[in-house]
Amino acid sequence: MAVSIALRWVRRIVVLAFCAATALVLFAVFRPPPQDLPWTPLRLDQPAGLFTGRKTVALGRDATACRAVLKDAGLRFTAVTPRGPEACRVGNSVRIAPRQEMLTLAPVVATACPVAAGLLIWQAQVVQPAAQGLLGTTVARIEHFGSYACRRMYGRSEGNWSEHSTGNAIDISAFVLADGRRVSVLRDWSKGDAPGRFLHAVRDGGCPLFATVLSPDYNAAHRDHLHLDQADRGDMGWRACR
Ligand SMILES: [Zn+2]
């Protein structure tokens, strides 16, 4: 009896050891890139991977780490002093310095640090390649309606606070191209031409990089902008892309 129990355990241990060895061999052979592993630190110069979006959101919990990531990427910014009443508290925001090629927002804006991180990856890896591929030029300026606004969702008097209330969102309205053309969400979204396809491509490409992406496809309130935010819904929280 005792022998058969011991044998059963030996068999289990052998199977477990075999599985662990197989996993190690597979890992060594296929070697997933760091951006596809949940435990590696975020770097903004790596291609976006399976965990880039969640890692960016998590930076909202650690202002120091988030600013270090922006600094490593070469972004010029100043930290915003924490201020504001509780629901509208700005605690982890950065004012992005103007006139820098890697993040060309207009007008000058302060956003929560994870939004700035998402925008950096988005501009380099989504917006510029889409502009080159679909419009044959680059984007010189990304126009927006702002980030911080102490208000509840849809400006209602009650209900959930908007991610804008802490600067953890930004509303992108248009793209000014290097050749002077301007692609606007309001005017060009529904056109099937190259500017319309460009807008859809940058919306789709934003979905892995931001916790929430809302476009004119979502509702009339978003007919003139792309809402991008880094809402923290926990490590396994839901993400929205509409
Ligand atoms: Zn918004």
Side-chain angles (χ1 to χ4, degrees):
M1 187 69 175
V3 174
S4 79
I5 290 174
L7 265 177
R8 208 179 304 155
W9 273 104
V10 168
R11 217 177 295 147
R12 279 181 194 162
I13 289 165
V14 169
V15 169
L16 273 177
F18 179 75
C19 290
T22 309
L24 274 176
V25 169
L26 285 175
F27 192 83
V29 171
F30 291 105
R31 234 190 260 191
Q35 61 272 21
D36 286 339
L37 296 170
W39 56 80
T40 55
L42 178 69
R43 285 189 55 95
L44 303 185
D45 57 355
Q46 285 168 348
L50 292 177
F51 291 92
T52 304
R54 292 188 189 280
K55 285 178 195 172
T56 312
V57 167
L59 287 178
R61 298 169 215 154
D62 188 339
T64 310
C66 189
R67 287 172 201 155
V69 166
L70 295 186
K71 216 168 155 208
D72 282 351
L75 186 75
R76 284 183 287 113
F77 63 91
T78 48
V80 172
T81 313
R83 62 182 156 77
E86 205 174 321
C88 294
R89 182 117 183 111
V90 170
N92 185 10
S93 279
V94 292
R95 179 167 296 279
I96 300 161
R99 291 181 293 283
Q100 45 185 337
E101 210 175 295
M102 63 191 306
L103 193 50
T104 59
L105 296 170
V108 174
V109 68
T111 72
C113 183
V115 173
L119 287 169
L120 263 177
I121 309 175
W122 187 57
Q123 179 177 310
Q125 299 184 28
V126 176
V127 173
Q128 295 296 18
Q132 269 153 356
L134 293 163
L135 304 168
T137 183
T138 54
V139 167
R141 206 160 65 238
I142 300 177
E143 294 182 346
H144 64 90
F145 290 148
S147 170
Y148 178 78
C150 182
R151 62 171 173 82
R152 293 173 197 268
M153 286 171 80
Y154 301 109
R156 292 178 186 140
S157 57
E158 48 189 48
N160 292 339
W161 288 91
S162 161
E163 289 298 320
H164 286 285
S165 70
T166 54
N168 200 23
I170 190 164
D171 292 335
I172 304 294
S173 54
F175 300 82
V176 178
L177 307 178
D179 61 14
R181 283 180 290 165
R182 187 167 173 277
V183 179
S184 121
V185 176
L186 179 63
R187 194 189 57 217
D188 298 309
W189 179 264
S190 304
K191 295 181 184 165
D193 57 3
R197 288 202 302 279
F198 164 79
L199 290 173
H200 282 77
V202 298
R203 186 271 312 266
D204 295 347
C207 293
L209 304 175
F210 293 91
T212 313
V213 175
L214 301 175
S215 71
D217 282 351
Y218 179 51
N219 63 15
H222 294 85
R223 68 189 175 284
D224 58 357
H225 68 275
L226 304 175
H227 166 98
L228 313 174
D229 77 46
Q230 298 291 29
D232 190 346
R233 305 183 185 104
D235 285 331
M236 300 307 286
W238 53 278
R239 302 169 64 79
C241 174
R242 308 277 293 273

